[in-house]
Amino acid sequence: MRLPPATRPEGSCPALHARTRLVCRFQDPEPADLSMEEESDTRKINNSFLRDHNYATEADIISTVEFNSSGELLATGDKGGRVVVFQREQESKSQPQRRGEYNVYSTFQSHEPEFDYLKSLEIEEKINKIKWLPQQNAAYFLLSTNDKTVKLWKISERDKRPEGYNLKDEDGRIRDPSTITSLRVPVLQPMDLMVEATARRIFSNAHTYHINSISVNSDLQTFISTDDLRVNLWNLEITDRSFNIVDIKPANMEELTEVITSAEFHPQQCHTFAYSSSKGSIRLCDMRQAALCDKHCKYFEEPEDPSTRSFFSEIISSISDVKFSHNGRYLMTRDYLTVKVWDLQMENKPLETYQVHDYLRGKLCSLYENDCIFDKFECVWNGSDSVIMTGSYNNFFRMFDRNTKRDVTLEASRENSKPRAILKPRKVCVGGKRRKDEISVDSLDFSKKILHTTWHPHENIIAVAATNNLYIFQDKVN
Amino acid sequence: MSAAIMEVNAEARRILAVSISKLYASRTQRGGLRLHRSLLLSLVMKSARDIYHSSRESEGPPVGGEQPSTEEAMDACSGCPGEANPGHREPQPEPESVEPAPEDPEGCDGEITEDKENRSPARQSRKRRGKASAAPDFLPSKRARLEPGEERYAAAPLGSCCRAGAVDSLSALSLNRVIPAF
């Protein structure tokens, strides 16, 4: 892969000129449930393109993707509670074209299914969110969460091991002291690189409802975990205590009208965070004002357009994701049909609104019946906050350039993606005559949805999760 | 009554039926009741009920022959909170009060030939039926019923909720009695 030239102006997005190329695609080849296997695959994750399985077991469905703050690592979580971390290959002079490929670095089981005996409920092991901590030493740290428990994982490399102990031999067996005739000093010998993941902290028992998001504070000491009704503040070192900073639970649950759908810390201000609601509003809170941040200091909401009112207006206005821009000046929200960019200084309406798939507006009833209307799409900024990206159905994902106001629809699919192939822009035909390359709304595959995407913090590399497949695209500049 | 109102009326009924079946199915979902989803379902049901109710008012009083099923459906609903997971009261939102009891699984409209929600493999592959995590629907409710002599349906197997004609009794309901919390 060639590096983009240094003279490229800040803020442009070459990917929008349809030069996005597939770097690599990962598919977990073997099913989690071995009884479904027809041939004997060994249990390993490999990044082969050649495996072709027609079924996707539910455990392999990717439920979150996240680049770390340098972009060197990419973590994915799946419904089976596993985390797979990919690492970017180092640039090498002998093989310059291989730079930019991500290979599996570490795989571990983060969460297991649990059973809450008091409520007779199963707790799913699905990883809802992964957030990386910025790297402070040789090890990598990430937070992963399921519905109830957040865990801090340390991922570290081991490439040396001590050899030459006196009291035990190389296999670990204790030596008979009478056979020891001389003393030696153990030395560190190189060994094959081993990457190990250990759970360093487990933050549990703080959420009655299902955790939907976590966010690390810019102070790197605290983080928040958010469920439907509460936001809890934790110190990364302390697992037996958390502070509840937002609680919207009504005294009488029958009066419940709104739940929290996502929360995030401001990227620079360690006292500011925002949370979105199922009613389509966002509240910005300042932790310095009070211990319990029930009073917001800013409230962002756009009045509903009465002409578009339908049975499903409340569902489609529910915000599924909220993200601060990297510069901290804007907020982006995703609801079912649109992405909106808000200026933190303007509360009464969004700065920009982008239609993701407005052709679905007339199909809300069927989407309600097949449950697709409840899908929670995420949205993501590029490193310079000039382009935003979000997913759609039929394995489509959309990018919007905020400066040029251009947008593009791309598809993440096996058929269209040979390695290094350039992605072709796709188009959905909304009515009337369908052109040759267009897809009609009725032939969209609603089981193929892209809910989770992430963008490299500095470069134009994106990772897109399509059910159980992970696609990594990079834009190439000639 | 104009054709447009009838159409809206039918649509509202259908949406209500679908919503109830979703609420019912979500009780057996792995991971427990999702508060957000239940809330959204209840909001849709409220919209459908309001529209249905306002169009019913313009239509006139309900036909007398449909009264008995009204009461049966109503006390099925009143009995339902007792059926719900006893240890799981807290996270239940207000729509629990409208959820039909398993004895009377009013599910899909006859027009809907397949319940995609329950057929989805993603939902069924992890269901653990008959184990502790499933609600003990076959146990009699301890809650007092309005009509103790009313005959009840046998407990239906979890996951199936399509009964043809069930929605007819639903359509005869005065919805104010079904959904008191609204």
Side-chain angles (χ1 to χ4, degrees):
Chain A
M1 282 291 152
R2 283 154 45 183
L3 291 172
T7 51
R8 175 150 300 277
E10 258 262 296
S12 66
C13 175
L16 288 183
H17 301 282
R19 287 179 159 281
T20 310
R21 285 172 188 267
L22 174 63
V23 172
C24 29
R25 183 179 71 83
F26 295 98
Q27 177 183 8
D28 189 5
E30 100 291 355
D33 179 359
L34 288 173
S35 64
M36 288 177 73
E37 270 187 280
E38 282 163 30
E39 55 219 355
S40 53
D41 282 332
T42 51
R43 288 188 67 89
K44 62 184 187 336
I45 306 256
N46 69 49
N47 56 357
S48 159
F49 301 110
L50 304 175
R51 311 305 281 265
D52 188 11
H53 288 247
N54 293 326
Y55 57 84
T57 54
E58 199 180 326
D60 299 332
I61 295 174
I62 299 172
S63 50
T64 186
V65 281
E66 188 82 6
F67 276 108
N68 75 339
S69 45
S70 66
E72 183 204 351
L73 297 180
L74 173 68
T76 63
D78 65 21
K79 271 191 140 184
R82 286 168 303 198
V83 172
V84 181
V85 179
F86 300 88
Q87 186 186 43
R88 194 175 190 190
E89 268 190 20
Q90 297 298 330
E91 202 182 331
S92 108
K93 292 195 177 52
S94 57
Q95 288 185 305
Q97 71 277 9
R98 284 188 68 80
R99 184 182 186 277
E101 290 203 2
Y102 283 81
N103 300 311
V104 177
Y105 179 65
S106 172
T107 304
F108 56 95
Q109 186 74 32
S110 170
H111 287 73
E112 299 273 1
E114 285 173 52
F115 195 76
D116 180 338
Y117 297 96
L118 205 57
K119 295 181 184 164
S120 289
L121 278 185
E122 244 190 297
I123 300 172
E124 277 191 282
E125 67 276 27
K126 171 168 81 98
I127 308 293
N128 291 335
K129 282 280 149 60
I130 290 176
K131 286 280 146 78
W132 289 94
L133 268 58
Q135 198 177 2
Q136 292 178 301
N137 53 35
Y140 303 103
F141 288 88
L142 61 78
L143 286 172
S144 72
T145 185
N146 68 349
D147 284 337
K148 297 287 180 181
T149 304
V150 185
K151 294 188 184 180
L152 175 70
W153 288 91
K154 175 181 175 183
I155 301 165
S156 48
E157 294 181 5
R158 189 194 292 269
D159 61 355
K160 297 184 188 42
R161 71 159 174 253
E163 283 178 18
Y165 283 103
N166 292 294
L167 295 179
K168 57 183 178 180
D169 61 25
E170 299 311 320
D171 298 332
R173 281 186 300 233
I174 309 288
R175 288 169 74 188
D176 182 357
S178 58
T179 64
I180 299 172
T181 53
S182 63
L183 285 179
R184 55 188 176 171
V185 176
V187 290
L188 289 174
Q189 297 288 359
M191 59 181 254
D192 289 338
L193 178 66
M194 191 168 75
V195 182
E196 30 183 37
T198 44
R200 302 297 291 175
R201 305 272 188 279
I202 297 181
F203 306 92
S204 55
N205 295 325
H207 288 280
T208 310
Y209 303 94
H210 297 105
I211 297 177
N212 51 52
S213 50
I214 46 176
S215 178
V216 182
N217 201 343
S218 51
D219 66 6
L220 305 184
Q221 294 182 356
T222 55
F223 71 95
I224 48 174
S225 58
T226 308
D227 66 31
D228 292 315
L229 297 179
R230 299 189 176 102
V231 180
N232 290 333
L233 179 73
W234 302 82
N235 183 302
L236 282 163
E237 300 295 326
I238 300 170
T239 59
D240 59 358
R241 232 175 312 156
S242 74
F243 290 99
N244 174 244
I245 57 176
V246 175
D247 187 342
I248 65 168
K249 185 178 176 190
N252 182 1
M253 278 298 278
E254 296 199 348
E255 292 162 19
L256 181 75
T257 54
E258 193 174 17
V259 298
I260 302 174
T261 52
S262 185
E264 198 185 40
F265 266 118
H266 191 279
Q268 285 92 33
Q269 296 168 14
C270 58
H271 46 78
T272 304
F273 67 96
Y275 68 91
S276 59
S277 85
S278 57
K279 275 193 170 170
S281 64
I282 309 101
R283 288 170 178 82
L284 199 72
C285 299
D286 188 330
M287 296 200 292
R288 299 169 299 186
Q289 282 186 335
L292 191 58
C293 301
D294 278 355
K295 282 191 169 33
H296 51 263
C297 56
K298 286 194 202 257
Y299 180 77
F300 300 86
E301 191 178 39
E302 185 176 27
E304 190 195 344
D305 179 3
S307 67
T308 58
R309 180 119 187 85
S310 74
F311 287 113
F312 309 106
S313 296
E314 283 98 356
I315 302 189
I316 63 170
S317 63
S318 174
I319 293 177
S320 50
D321 194 17
V322 65
K323 291 263 169 51
F324 279 99
S325 60
H326 291 96
N327 59 21
R329 289 172 50 198
Y330 306 105
L331 263 179
M332 170 166 53
T333 58
R334 174 72 154 99
D335 53 54
Y336 190 64
L337 297 177
T338 70
V339 190
K340 294 178 180 170
V341 175
W342 302 77
D343 186 324
L344 289 189
Q345 309 304 322
M346 185 165 68
E347 298 172 51
N348 61 340
K349 62 179 169 124
L351 196 61
E352 298 149 22
T353 301
Y354 300 94
Q355 301 295 333
V356 181
H357 38 215
D358 201 56
Y359 45 79
L360 297 182
R361 200 178 283 274
K363 298 198 154 290
L364 293 179
C365 198
S366 341
L367 293 166
Y368 178 69
E369 285 171 33
N370 66 13
D371 265 2
C372 285
I373 208 174
F374 298 102
D375 287 335
K376 298 194 175 149
F377 292 95
E378 292 170 12
C379 53
V380 69
W381 297 88
N382 75 336
S384 57
D385 299 331
S386 58
V387 182
I388 56 182
M389 174 169 70
T390 189
S392 178
Y393 293 104
N394 210 72
N395 279 349
F396 287 171
F397 57 100
R398 305 260 283 137
M399 287 190 203
F400 302 92
D401 187 320
R402 298 176 58 220
N403 299 324
T404 66
K405 301 301 178 200
R406 288 172 56 184
D407 63 87
V408 68
T409 304
L410 300 170
E411 183 178 358
S413 80
R414 209 173 306 154
E415 294 79 35
N416 301 341
S417 304
K418 310 275 181 293
R420 312 236 141 63
I422 296 183
L423 288 184
K424 205 174 59 158
R426 313 289 297 174
K427 198 153 160 53
V428 177
C429 145
V430 279
K433 297 176 74 74
R434 185 178 77 87
R435 294 207 194 98
K436 190 169 71 106
D437 282 338
E438 289 182 355
I439 297 194
S440 74
V441 180
D442 295 314
S443 35
L444 292 175
D445 187 344
F446 289 97
S447 66
K448 295 188 180 159
K449 50 194 90 170
I450 292 184
L451 304 173
H452 313 289
T453 60
T454 183
W455 203 307
H456 190 287
H458 317 300
E459 299 185 33
N460 282 332
I461 304 174
I462 57 177
V464 170
T467 320
N468 63 331
N469 289 325
L470 178 72
Y471 292 83
I472 301 178
F473 299 105
Q474 181 172 353
D475 104 79
K476 181 166 186 227
V477 178
N478 279 325
Chain B
M1 194 158 76
S2 78
I5 293 181
M6 280 192 66
E7 201 180 295
V8 168
N9 198 347
E11 182 77 355
R13 273 168 40 193
R14 194 162 77 88
I15 289 174
L16 207 48
V18 168
S19 309
I20 288 176
S21 77
K22 285 189 191 297
L23 259 182
Y24 176 66
S26 66
R27 293 171 59 195
T28 55
Q29 217 173 19
R30 223 182 141 232
L33 274 172
R34 304 254 152 201
L35 187 64
H36 185 198
R37 184 186 161 92
S38 305
L39 179 68
L40 294 177
L41 285 175
S42 71
L43 292 172
V44 170
M45 288 172 66
K46 187 182 173 197
S47 293
R49 180 202 68 120
D50 289 343
I51 291 179
Y52 176 81
H53 199 63
S54 61
S55 65
R56 287 272 304 168
E57 304 227 286
S58 56
E59 186 187 318
V63 181
E66 297 169 278
Q67 288 301 342
S69 49
T70 300
E71 278 148 28
E72 178 187 333
M74 192 204 69
D75 71 23
C77 287
S78 69
C80 106
E83 290 291 303
N85 296 326
H88 188 48
R89 295 299 294 166
E90 195 191 342
Q92 284 170 0
E94 62 182 288
E96 280 304 310
S97 60
V98 322
E99 205 179 325
E103 297 94 18
D104 189 3
E106 300 188 342
C108 317
D109 195 335
E111 297 162 35
I112 302 169
T113 51
E114 53 182 6
D115 183 349
K116 290 186 185 127
E117 205 224 349
N118 281 333
R119 279 184 51 216
S120 158
R123 299 234 182 269
Q124 284 185 337
S125 63
R126 294 283 196 145
K127 268 192 187 162
R128 285 155 165 78
R129 295 173 191 234
K131 291 196 183 164
S133 57
D137 300 317
F138 45 84
L139 293 179
S141 164
K142 291 183 182 169
R143 193 110 159 197
R145 303 240 182 215
L146 217 59
E147 300 274 344
E150 274 292 330
E151 206 176 72
R152 295 186 206 302
Y153 283 71
L158 295 173
S160 81
C161 65
C162 282
R163 298 225 174 174
V167 79
D168 290 338
S169 53
L170 186 69
S171 64
L173 288 176
S174 164
L175 287 171
N176 271 338
R177 299 167 78 191
V178 173
I179 310 176
F182 286 109

